[in-house]
Amino acid sequence: MNDPLTLPEVARQAIAVFRRAALADSDAAISVGWAPGRMNIIGEHTDYNDGFVLPAAIHRLVALAGTPADEPFATLYSANHQAWARVPLGDDVAFAGEQVPLWARYVQATWRQLAMLGSVPTSAGFKAAIVGDVPLGGGLSSSAALEVATAMFAQSLGGRALPPLDVARACQRAEQAGADVAVGIMDQAASCLGRPHSAMLLDCRALTFTYVPIPEDAEWIVFDTGAPHTLATSGYNSRRSECEAAVAHLAPVLAHETPGRQIHALRDITLADLTQHSALLDDVLLQRARHVVSENMRTLAAAEALQKCDLAMVGMYLNQSHASLRDDYEVSCFELDAAVDVALAAPGTFGARMMGAGFGGSIIALVRPESSAKLCERLVSEYPRRTGRNGALVPCDITGEAGIQAASWRA
């Protein structure tokens, strides 16, 4: 792909930034890879419990543009952070520690995971500029987009192409290593496998998926509350530990009741199980388990309702999801609740909920197209009055490609 006009705007910007940063000669062939962020319609905190999720890839991207280097290092410039980093890539060099910014550790960790799979180019290292328009800390998975974009950039430099789900798994491991957060696979899978105008119903255990078309009369509004969420400093890991503890308490009893029944995760437990054996769990573990079990049910039901174009039903599941995340999983916050309340009070809104890991970030609302402008006006005006924060609307078109592209371009 040699015509820059055929590249996404973010990819073109990355090429321009790379040249301005004097990382390459003016006549050097520059390779570029990119990947989308995602919005998650429903299915929150279910992926690491082997459950179901319903994300959609959005038009917002992260791109890496650069050239190979003859040394085992990545020399990186982030336009978003306006910062440089230089990180070692070889296994014989210690992993970059806290002295290296998190965004650079994501790139480093992804490259090392790909190297283990034999899918990096023969060059020892690379130089690259990073540009993205996925909001940072907004719950739209900028980190997964960066990781998958790094994998596509490696491919654009000559690395062996991998099946999309292998890329997703490698990028998931990279985030776990780079940020020390036990993330599930939803974000990376959505970035790798997005399809225009469709959501993806993903079984996070079997890693099978089906595409669910988005009805034309469904409009999705994403609103960033301005309350930042950072997975590494949130209660994300503690929530995962609580889910595992609930399974550890329940599994022996359920397996004894039904010989041969396999209980590996909350995916394998029903609401009836929780009701019958609630005494085995303390209040906190019961709440965590109840959210995950019910969220799996809501996700499957919402996907079916979306296929039937029953937007009122989808909205009901969104509302139930938010209440469960707020009350049982306890990952919402004052700002998220306020934004959801404002959205639900607007005429024409089918439903709304917090989106992402929580503790800040964004909400997603489903609204009639003819009512979207009024909803946006209310969020922009009413939310600051309630919270003292200035949130921001984040336009998110569901136009992610089926898989991620990589390209080379020469001036």
Side-chain angles (χ1 to χ4, degrees):
M1 185 182 295
N2 295 315
D3 181 0
L5 296 179
T6 63
L7 299 178
E9 174 62 25
V10 168
R12 296 200 299 271
Q13 291 174 5
I15 291 170
V17 170
F18 185 75
R19 292 204 181 282
R20 286 200 302 270
L23 289 172
D25 297 331
S26 60
D27 62 346
I30 298 175
S31 296
V32 57
W34 61 89
R38 66 96 188 97
M39 68 180 202
N40 189 26
I41 293 174
I42 195 168
E44 220 65 83
H45 290 276
T46 50
D47 58 348
Y48 56 81
N49 287 292
D50 286 358
F52 299 92
V53 293
L54 190 65
I58 58 177
H59 75 290
R60 293 175 173 273
L61 308 174
V62 174
L64 275 74
T67 57
D70 293 329
E71 55 180 4
F73 288 86
T75 301
L76 305 168
Y77 177 74
S78 169
N80 291 70
H81 295 91
Q82 297 186 359
W84 291 84
R86 179 177 162 84
V87 296
L89 297 174
D91 290 335
D92 56 338
V93 183
F95 186 80
E98 290 300 325
Q99 73 276 11
V100 174
L102 181 59
W103 58 268
R105 297 207 304 272
Y106 286 141
V107 175
Q108 179 195 43
T110 300
W111 196 269
R112 289 187 169 183
Q113 288 295 329
L114 295 172
M116 294 178 193
L117 299 174
S119 61
V120 295
T122 55
S123 60
F126 63 93
K127 301 175 182 178
I130 304 169
V131 175
D133 62 359
V134 184
L136 303 178
L140 293 169
S141 199
S142 58
S143 58
L146 173 58
E147 292 146 11
V148 177
T150 300
M152 296 303 101
F153 176 67
Q155 182 177 321
S156 76
L157 290 178
R160 181 172 61 89
L162 295 172
L165 281 172
D166 288 352
V167 173
R169 282 189 286 256
C171 293
Q172 176 195 16
R173 293 191 297 270
E175 180 145 349
Q176 291 171 342
D180 192 27
V181 180
V183 297
I185 199 170
M186 173 181 66
D187 296 347
Q188 292 80 9
S191 188
C192 286
L193 291 160
R195 175 178 289 182
H197 313 298
S198 295
M200 180 178 70
L201 178 63
L202 174 67
D203 180 334
C204 295
R205 169 176 288 167
L207 293 183
T208 56
F209 57 92
T210 57
Y211 291 108
V212 181
I214 299 295
E216 292 184 1
D217 57 346
E219 185 150 348
W220 305 91
I221 303 298
V222 174
F223 182 76
D224 188 340
T225 64
H229 92 129
T230 303
L231 295 184
T233 58
S234 73
Y236 188 97
N237 284 342
S238 66
R239 293 301 186 280
R240 181 163 187 162
S241 296
E242 289 161 352
C243 291
E244 292 168 352
V247 172
H249 285 295
L250 292 167
V253 175
L254 296 176
H256 177 74
E257 287 180 348
T258 308
R261 182 178 178 185
Q262 299 294 313
I263 307 293
H264 300 292
L266 286 175
R267 154 77 173 269
D268 304 308
I269 292 171
T270 68
L271 287 178
D273 293 331
L274 294 180
T275 300
Q276 183 177 355
H277 298 291
S278 60
L280 295 175
L281 306 176
D282 64 27
D283 289 345
V284 170
L285 295 187
L286 179 60
Q287 289 175 217
R288 305 300 187 252
R290 185 167 56 216
H291 164 71
V292 174
V293 173
S294 62
E295 186 79 347
N296 276 324
M297 297 170 62
R298 281 188 291 271
T299 301
L300 293 172
E304 183 178 354
L306 203 58
Q307 288 176 322
K308 296 178 179 178
C309 300
D310 189 343
L311 300 185
M313 190 65 69
V314 175
M316 181 188 74
Y317 293 128
L318 296 183
N319 296 340
Q320 291 176 356
S321 175
H322 183 76
S324 182
L325 288 160
R326 179 192 64 211
D327 300 334
D328 276 346
Y329 221 62
E330 297 183 290
V331 291
S332 189
C333 63
F334 168 68
E335 292 89 348
L336 289 168
D337 293 342
V340 166
D341 288 344
V342 171
L344 292 179
T349 301
F350 292 108
R353 70 176 193 88
M354 59 152 279
M355 181 177 63
F359 310 100
S362 300
I363 70 160
I364 182 173
L366 174 59
V367 64
R368 299 180 188 275
E370 64 271 19
S371 302
S372 63
K374 191 64 176 178
L375 169 59
C376 292
E377 291 174 7
R378 294 188 65 150
L379 283 167
V380 170
S381 61
E382 181 64 22
Y383 173 78
R385 285 198 290 268
R386 295 197 185 194
T387 66
R389 288 185 179 272
N390 289 315
L393 294 163
V394 185
C396 290
D397 296 330
I398 301 177
T399 53
E401 297 291 340
I404 311 301
Q405 303 174 45
S408 295
W409 179 73
R410 186 185 294 274

